[in-house]
Amino acid sequence: QDSFLKEGQVVLDLGSAPGSWSQVARKILGPTGIIVATDILEMKQLPGVDFVQGDFLEDFAREEIALALGGKRADVLLSDMAPNMSGQKLIDQG
């Protein structure tokens, strides 16, 4: 079975909270893979995942992400970002 995630890759997970995809990637990448996760929301620390809290569009967050990547380029960019729409009566279901 082919997978876009492979052992030893470098992965950048944008919009990572709560961390589900980072956990999946950690299992697949093995001990040599690198995962840098970032989100504007807090995320629980996950073993083997470097987390940067901040907006990746802002200089500070981009610099922290670059430091966490240690000069490496990401092989894979993960993102399942969506706007936080909770509390919007026109679009909330329930």
Side-chain angles (χ1 to χ4, degrees):
Q1 165 180 335
D2 287 337
S3 173
F4 65 94
L5 293 174
K6 297 182 182 357
E7 191 170 335
Q9 287 180 315
V10 177
V11 172
L12 178 57
D13 185 1
L14 301 178
S16 59
S20 303
W21 276 109
S22 290
Q23 289 177 323
V24 168
R26 177 75 279 146
K27 288 179 185 175
I28 295 170
L29 299 183
T32 60
I34 296 172
I35 301 168
V36 177
T38 184
D39 203 308
I40 59 173
L41 303 175
E42 289 183 38
M43 187 177 97
K44 191 174 177 181
Q45 186 63 42
L46 300 171
V49 176
D50 290 319
F51 177 66
V52 175
Q53 185 172 359
D55 183 341
F56 67 89
L57 296 175
E58 295 180 3
D59 290 341
F60 172 78
R62 281 198 309 267
E63 290 169 8
E64 291 297 311
I65 292 166
L67 285 173
L69 287 170
K72 297 184 175 163
R73 297 183 70 127
D75 297 305
V76 176
L77 175 66
L78 294 177
S79 176
D80 66 350
M81 288 186 290
N84 186 355
M85 303 302 275
S86 180
Q88 303 291 324
K89 288 185 178 186
L90 292 174
I91 57 176
D92 258 356
Q93 305 219 0

